[in-house]
Amino acid sequence: MTTAPARLWAYTLRLPNDPRAPRVARGTVRGVLPLYGLEALADSAELLTSELVTNAVRHTRGPAALRLKGDGERMRIGVSDSDPHIPPPFDGSPGPCAGATVPGVPEGGRGLTLVRLCAHEWGGFPLGDPALGTQGKFLWCDLTLRREDFGIAA
């Protein structure tokens, strides 16, 4: 028996640099996931979306964009913004450990570590061309319904 290929989907939401943007982004995630049978990912997806969008709003001056895409078992959450700096651990360097008390690190600096710990995969890459006056970054993370991807027995 041949199974049908998973239905691919994608949404993009442009967000102004506004403190209400994370709430709008969370609402979008909450509304989209049931359409594709991914309700089980809703809580984690909302948390990770909120952290990525909050990072963009707090640390950049320009607008951001939320990109959601997926299939029947997996989804990617991505946020682009106008700042070219890719923070750890998204730049490939080790980031701080969750729950670690690091002298001089403010409480607000742990959101991307949450993303790293809750997502199946994550990463970041630069956008644009500084020579042309365009620059930015794209941070992303993946969530999956398959429990074995996390080393958890079904």
Side-chain angles (χ1 to χ4, degrees), residues 100-113:
T101 304
V102 180
V105 175
E107 286 289 320
R110 297 187 180 124
L112 294 182
T113 298

Side-chain angles (χ1 to χ4, degrees), residues 29-30 33 38-48 143:
V29 168
R30 183 62 72 176
L33 294 184
L38 296 173
E39 301 91 358
L41 298 177
D43 291 337
S44 295
E46 280 189 73
L47 172 66
L48 302 186
L143 293 172

Side-chain angles (χ1 to χ4, degrees), residues 2 13 18 34 41 58 64-65 71 79 81 88 97 113 115 123 126-127 137 141 145 147:
T2 305
L13 175 66
D18 184 300
L41 298 177
R58 291 183 75 185
D71 60 27
V79 175
D81 63 45
C97 295
T113 298
V115 174
L127 296 174
K137 68 177 169 296
C141 63
L145 286 175
R147 296 175 62 162

Side-chain angles (χ1 to χ4, degrees), residues 87-97 113 116 122:
F90 288 81
D91 64 355
S93 67
C97 295
T113 298
R116 188 191 89 209
W122 67 91

Side-chain angles (χ1 to χ4, degrees), residues 20 23 37 41 68 112 115 134 154:
R20 296 170 288 194
R23 181 177 42 181
L41 298 177
L68 304 172
L112 294 182
V115 174
T134 59

Side-chain angles (χ1 to χ4, degrees), residues 6-83:
R7 182 174 166 202
L8 301 177
W9 54 270
Y11 291 82
T12 301
L13 175 66
R14 293 192 171 284
L15 298 162
N17 191 309
D18 184 300
R20 296 170 288 194
R23 181 177 42 181
V24 172
R26 286 190 307 270
T28 300
V29 168
R30 183 62 72 176
V32 166
L33 294 184
L35 301 174
Y36 301 100
L38 296 173
E39 301 91 358
L41 298 177
D43 291 337
S44 295
E46 280 189 73
L47 172 66
L48 302 186
T49 297
S50 186
E51 294 300 337
L52 290 172
V53 172
T54 298
N55 188 64
V57 169
R58 291 183 75 185
H59 300 292
T60 68
R61 292 185 195 165
L66 171 67
R67 175 123 170 116
L68 304 172
K69 68 179 190 173
D71 60 27
E73 292 186 349
R74 187 178 191 104
M75 74 171 292
R76 174 163 290 177
I77 302 163
V79 175
S80 59
D81 63 45
S82 59
D83 183 353

